């Protein structure tokens, strides 16, 4: 089979997979998972025909996928992939660009600059911010926090690039008690010891309580949240950020999914978030782009460009080249799918999608309450946090729902006890899908 035929065969198989989305179990069954053992063999000495490689991948691999690109996946704020973004991704694969700078790919350089500006416009953030397109909110948080530390140290007269951390003034990190684990990971990797972090106590909604905020000064890095991972709640930016900036602190906002509320009719939830110094958000969650799609946004464009600079004698580029804004040197043009998603939705389409998910979350919460469940959060965004009558029943219902193959959502712990978390974030999820989820949960509650 020549290359053209092989690619056509891959497209044919991908379309067959796509066509079967509605019938597919949301989480694969035990037989499909057991069949994966066929992949467990030694690295072959001799190659296999590419069409055979593709067939094996499809026949053994496809049945063991999770249908997170389908309408009834309610776990982890995962989102599906918008048609325009999926189609753009296929073209980008054909282009095979190394999107590090203009010299490597003029088209990627231009599209990612436009995408960066559009992201800032959609989120209501300063449009002259630097926008680095990284693999994940985790990687982008790491990039932003390293820019923050470097800048805070520079203000103390310390040259971080030359002298590193030994003997440097200590940067005080203040973060929410409910900060996402990946924010702590970024801090740990950057060498902020876990015992040295200052946790800000939260209220019953998981938001930092302004009255109990630890002291802030010009050596403080304050990390806030737009979208607490369980409740979907927002820290009170309009109150906290001016206080922090007046003290000379740097404010970073983890907005992996919640920052997209800024593009909706519920933008007021994140009022004042635009006053921060840096932000991270994901494309692969609520914007519904393919994976490996996130952004590091930094008000002081030079601060991010300096912290992430990777110019070399053989590869120098402008300070706003992607290789100087992200962790990667060689990288794919992941901003193109973000550009395509925003181009296809427009402001109206984006608002409509986010508004729909928020409305669906309200309606789901209402149906579950009527069916005897306890909804633990007040539901301001797209997250519904749920408990049944007892911990045992909560866990058993979640496991039965997962085993059904009809839907999937994950467990969580809220205020020390098991719960489950339902996220509305796929563009494919219709009101009918939400009703089906509620019906399944009510049926399981009667049975268990
Ligand atoms: C998912 C998530 C992250 C991590 O994002 P990745 O893109 O998976 O690295 C960070 N913070 C919050 C609030 C999240 O929901």
């Amino acid at each position: 089979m020549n290359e053209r035929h092989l690619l056509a065969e891959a497209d044919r198989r991908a379309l067959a997979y796509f066509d079967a989305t509605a019938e597919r179990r949301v989480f694969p069954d035990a037989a499909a998972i057991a069949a994966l053992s066929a992949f467990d063999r030694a690295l072959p000495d001799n190659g296999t025909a590419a069409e055979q490689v593709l067939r094996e991948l499809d026949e053994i691999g496809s049945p063991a996928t999770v249908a997170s690109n389908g309408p009834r996946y309610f776990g982890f704020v995962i989102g599906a992939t918008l048609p325009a973004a999926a189609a753009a991704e296929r073209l980008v694969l054909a282009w095979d660009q190394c999107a590090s700078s203009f010299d490597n790919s003029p088209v990627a350089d231009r599209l990612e600059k436009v995408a960066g500006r559009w992201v800032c416009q959609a989120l209501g953030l300063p449009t002259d911010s630097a926008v680095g397109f990284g693999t994940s909110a985790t990687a982008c948080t790491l990039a932003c926090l390293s820019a923050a530390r470097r800048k805070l140290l520079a203000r103390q007269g310390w040259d971080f690039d030359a002298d590193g951390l030994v003997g440097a003034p200590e940067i005080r990190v203040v973060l929410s008690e409910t900060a996402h684990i990946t924010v702590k990971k970024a801090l740990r990797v950057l060498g902020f010891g876990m015992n040295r972090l200052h946790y800000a106590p939260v209220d019953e909604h998981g938001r930092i309580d302004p009255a109990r905020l630890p002291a802030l000064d010009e050596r403080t890095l304050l990390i806030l949240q737009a979208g607490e991972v369980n409740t979907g709640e927002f820290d009170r930016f309009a109150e906290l950020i001016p206080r922090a900036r007046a003290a000379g602190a740097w404010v970073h906002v983890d907005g992996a999914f919640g920052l997209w509320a800024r593009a909706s009719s519920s933008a007021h939830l994140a009022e004042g978030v635009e006053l921060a110094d840096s932000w991270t958000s994901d494309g692969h969650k609520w914007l519904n782009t393919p994976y490996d799609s996130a952004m590091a946004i930094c008000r002081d464009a030079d601060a991010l460009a300096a912290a992430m600079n990777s110019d070399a004698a053989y590869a120098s580029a402008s300070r706003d080249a992607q290789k100087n804004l992200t962790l990667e040197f060689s990288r794919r043009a992941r901003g193109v799918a973000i550009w395509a998603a925003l181009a296809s939705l427009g402001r109206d389409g984006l608002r409509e999608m986010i508004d729909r998910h928020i409305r669906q979350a309200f309606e789901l919460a209402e149906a579950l309450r009527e069916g005897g469940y306890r909804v633990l959060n007040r539901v301001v965004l797209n997250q519904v946090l749920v408990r049944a009558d007892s911990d045992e029943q909560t866990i058993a219902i979640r496991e039965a729902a997962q085993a059904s193959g009809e839907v999937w959502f994950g467990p969580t712990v809220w205020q020390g006890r098991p719960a489950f978390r339902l996220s509305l974030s796929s563009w494919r999820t219709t009101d009918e899908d939400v009703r089906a989820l509620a019906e399944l949960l009510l049926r399981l509650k009667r049975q268990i």
Side-chain angles (χ1 to χ4, degrees):
M1 212 181 250
N2 67 24
E3 187 175 0
R4 239 179 148 273
H5 282 116
L6 182 69
L7 293 178
E9 176 64 4
D11 284 345
R12 187 190 66 74
R13 288 182 179 275
L15 288 176
Y17 178 87
F18 173 80
D19 289 340
T21 299
E23 297 99 69
R24 179 167 294 113
R25 284 178 56 89
V26 181
F27 195 87
D29 61 19
I33 293 170
L36 290 173
S37 61
F39 286 133
D40 285 331
R41 51 184 197 262
L43 173 67
D45 288 332
N46 303 116
T48 305
E51 66 211 83
Q52 170 59 24
V53 171
L54 181 67
R55 184 179 321 123
E56 183 178 0
L57 193 60
D58 187 26
E59 290 176 358
I60 302 169
S62 294
T65 54
V66 172
S68 48
N69 196 16
R72 295 195 182 179
Y73 187 90
F74 301 95
F76 302 109
V77 209
I78 258 183
T81 298
L82 287 163
E89 195 77 351
R90 280 160 173 73
L91 199 56
V92 167
L93 194 58
W95 292 350
D96 190 29
Q97 302 292 280
C98 177
S100 52
S101 66
F102 177 87
D103 287 345
N104 281 350
S105 176
V107 63
D109 183 70
R110 180 59 60 90
L111 283 174
E112 291 191 323
K113 286 205 169 87
V114 174
R117 205 170 65 235
W118 284 3
V119 163
C120 291
Q121 287 169 348
L123 300 178
L125 302 179
T127 48
D128 49 358
S129 303
V131 181
F133 291 106
T135 49
S136 60
T138 307
C140 288
T141 296
L142 198 129
C144 286
L145 298 185
S146 57
R149 176 169 64 188
R150 189 180 177 283
K151 189 74 183 189
L152 287 171
L153 287 175
R155 288 185 196 146
Q156 300 294 311
W158 187 265
D159 183 343
F160 174 77
D161 293 345
D163 298 320
L165 282 176
V166 178
E170 180 167 0
I171 298 300
R172 274 168 59 83
V173 178
V174 177
L175 75 170
S176 169
E177 272 177 350
T178 59
H180 196 266
I181 188 67
T182 59
V183 171
K184 293 184 213 168
K185 173 176 171 177
L187 288 165
R188 196 180 74 229
V189 171
L190 288 170
F192 292 101
M194 293 295 100
N195 289 341
R196 307 195 72 87
L197 304 180
H198 300 265
Y199 285 101
V202 297
D203 64 16
E204 73 270 32
H205 306 300
R207 305 176 301 175
I208 289 178
D209 177 356
R212 291 185 290 160
L213 185 68
L216 307 171
D217 61 20
E218 67 284 350
R219 293 184 192 176
T220 301
L221 172 46
L222 173 65
I223 305 175
L224 304 179
Q225 294 190 95
E228 200 274 334
V229 77
N230 280 310
T231 61
E233 295 261 356
F234 295 76
D235 284 328
R236 278 173 267 185
F237 306 118
E239 183 175 348
L240 295 173
I241 299 178
R243 252 171 84 181
R245 289 186 60 122
W250 178 294
V251 183
H252 176 76
V253 177
D254 171 15
F257 65 94
L259 211 46
W260 292 95
R262 296 274 289 179
S264 77
S265 306
S266 303
H268 62 274
L269 292 171
E271 190 194 343
V273 76
E274 72 282 0
L275 303 172
D277 295 284
S278 57
W279 307 263
T280 46
S281 193
D282 273 321
H284 54 221
K285 287 181 178 169
W286 215 351
L287 183 59
N288 281 244
T289 65
Y291 273 91
D292 280 16
S293 171
M295 38 238 120
I297 308 172
C298 192
R299 173 189 298 279
D300 178 346
D302 290 330
L304 185 62
M308 289 293 115
N309 185 276
S310 56
D311 273 352
Y314 74 97
S316 64
S318 60
R319 66 174 180 76
D320 57 357
Q322 282 292 317
K323 78 179 183 72
N324 289 335
L325 298 175
T326 59
L327 291 171
E328 297 88 5
F329 190 64
S330 308
R331 56 186 286 287
R332 67 189 187 83
R334 57 177 67 91
V336 176
I338 292 175
W339 173 87
L342 292 173
S344 72
L345 290 173
R347 277 189 195 274
D348 285 351
L350 182 58
R351 184 190 316 110
E352 195 271 329
M353 179 173 79
I354 306 288
D355 283 355
R356 182 171 70 248
H357 292 145
I358 296 173
R359 173 180 59 74
Q360 288 175 334
F362 274 105
E363 289 169 4
L364 178 62
E366 195 49 43
L368 294 181
R369 265 190 224 106
E370 279 170 18
Y373 279 98
R374 281 192 55 211
V375 175
L376 305 172
N377 61 330
R378 58 180 178 175
V379 188
V380 293
L381 203 65
N382 60 340
Q383 304 288 95
V384 186
L385 197 56
V386 185
R387 203 172 271 160
D389 297 339
S390 65
D391 292 352
E392 295 70 30
Q393 193 190 29
T394 302
I395 293 169
I397 289 172
R398 195 242 317 142
E399 288 175 350
Q402 290 173 344
S404 75
E406 291 173 43
V407 300
W408 200 92
F409 55 82
T412 192
V413 171
W414 181 245
Q415 295 174 341
R417 286 181 47 205
F420 50 78
R421 189 177 64 139
L422 304 163
S423 298
L424 279 299
S425 48
S426 165
W427 75 272
R428 291 187 205 280
T429 301
T430 63
D431 292 354
E432 181 48 40
D433 294 313
V434 177
R435 269 194 294 276
L437 171 64
E439 274 164 27
L440 175 72
L441 288 173
L442 297 196
R443 192 166 72 239
L444 289 174
K445 188 157 188 302
R446 286 192 298 271
Q447 288 168 359
I448 294 175

